[in-house]
Amino acid sequence: MRNIILPALLLAGVVGAPLAAGAQEPVQPRIHVAGEGEAAVAPDMAILTLTVMRDGDTARIALDGANEAMNAVVSAMREAGIEGRDLQTSGLQISPRYVYPQDGQGQPRITGYEVINTLTVRVREIAEVGELLDLSVTLGVNQGGQITFTNADPKAVLEEARRAAVTDARTRAETLADAAGVTLGSVVEISEVSRRPTPMPIAGAAMRMEAAADAAVPVEAGENVYRVEVTVTFSIGE
């Protein structure tokens, strides 16, 4: 029995030795920093949200009114050069309207219906945005009011922001290393978070007009600022 047990015990001791030695290895000193970078570019595309609201004594009447107005808006968008891929129905809602008893007694009564139809339009020519907004109101759009200015392909500006963020992180790490009296080593780990521009809605009142203005709606596109944040881990040199 001893001849069988003893080798097993010896083997366990040999296998366990490296594990114990590995557990005692010191953690390599590192520097962790965050870097920020941003780059600005003029938008080359606008996304409009156009809504038609109609009401009627019945759901049918309300829906027919909304359909007529929205069909006119869609036709006008196509005639203005907006492609089918840039037109999308983004919402359709049919809701009853209620009247509640003033004395709080009894059940609410349906007095009519409301239909809301929302169209999302991508406009690839920024200069046409104001004219299209004005035209949509003339044809029956009476709710909405959000314009998102964006870029069809932001890869180049994001790359610029990314490089700025990494440069910022390295500068911070070099400052820390210099203050601590050590040498900055190579990059051990890096991760990124990209932040696109926040959509900026125009004033809602601009879309709740009962009559069209004589001139196109004034619109200023400004510029989009893309931000990138990185976290970088550097080793400390010998």
Side-chain angles (χ1 to χ4, degrees):
M1 233 6 195
R2 293 178 181 174
N3 291 335
I4 297 175
I5 295 175
L6 184 57
L9 293 175
L10 290 174
L11 179 60
V14 173
V15 173
L19 295 177
Q24 296 174 359
E25 290 183 2
V27 177
Q28 294 298 320
R30 297 176 178 180
I31 295 178
H32 303 273
V33 292
E36 300 176 352
E38 65 178 41
V41 64
D44 57 18
M45 183 169 65
I47 300 176
L48 313 181
T49 301
L50 307 176
T51 300
V52 169
M53 182 187 71
R54 294 292 184 272
D55 54 21
D57 294 336
T58 66
R60 179 76 266 168
I61 293 175
L63 181 61
D64 287 345
N67 289 346
E68 181 181 0
M70 186 54 75
N71 283 333
V73 172
V74 171
S75 296
M77 294 295 123
R78 293 182 183 276
E79 290 177 3
I82 305 298
E83 299 181 17
R85 62 175 178 152
D86 293 328
L87 297 171
Q88 184 178 56
T89 298
S90 51
L92 179 64
Q93 180 179 347
I94 303 175
S95 305
R97 292 181 317 193
Y98 293 95
V99 170
Y100 294 87
Q102 294 183 354
D103 57 6
Q105 303 296 322
Q107 299 296 321
R109 179 171 55 89
I110 295 177
T111 60
Y113 291 83
E114 178 182 271
V115 172
I116 297 177
N117 193 341
T118 301
L119 178 71
T120 299
V121 183
R122 283 198 297 258
V123 182
R124 300 179 185 273
E125 294 293 337
I126 297 294
E128 298 177 359
V129 170
E131 182 179 349
L132 291 176
L133 284 173
D134 184 73
L135 177 61
S136 67
V137 173
T138 300
L139 295 174
V141 168
N142 55 357
Q143 278 196 356
Q146 178 169 300
I147 305 176
T148 301
F149 290 107
T150 185
N151 297 89
D153 186 6
K155 291 180 181 178
V157 67
L158 277 172
E159 181 177 341
E160 182 181 348
R162 191 173 292 118
R163 290 181 180 277
V166 173
T167 299
D168 181 50
R170 179 173 289 278
T171 299
R172 296 186 186 198
E174 289 173 348
T175 299
L176 292 174
D178 182 65
V182 298
T183 302
L184 187 67
S186 59
V187 173
V188 175
E189 184 178 355
I190 185 169
S191 61
E192 170 199 328
V193 176
S194 299
R195 302 186 185 279
R196 291 175 176 267
T198 303
M200 300 183 64
I202 64 172
M207 296 300 297
R208 288 193 282 268
M209 296 184 288
E210 296 181 0
D214 293 334
V217 177
V219 174
E220 297 295 334
E223 65 180 13
N224 288 335
V225 177
Y226 291 81
R227 294 179 174 83
V228 172
E229 298 175 3
V230 296
T231 55
V232 186
T233 301
F234 292 88
S235 63
I236 294 180
E238 297 296 334

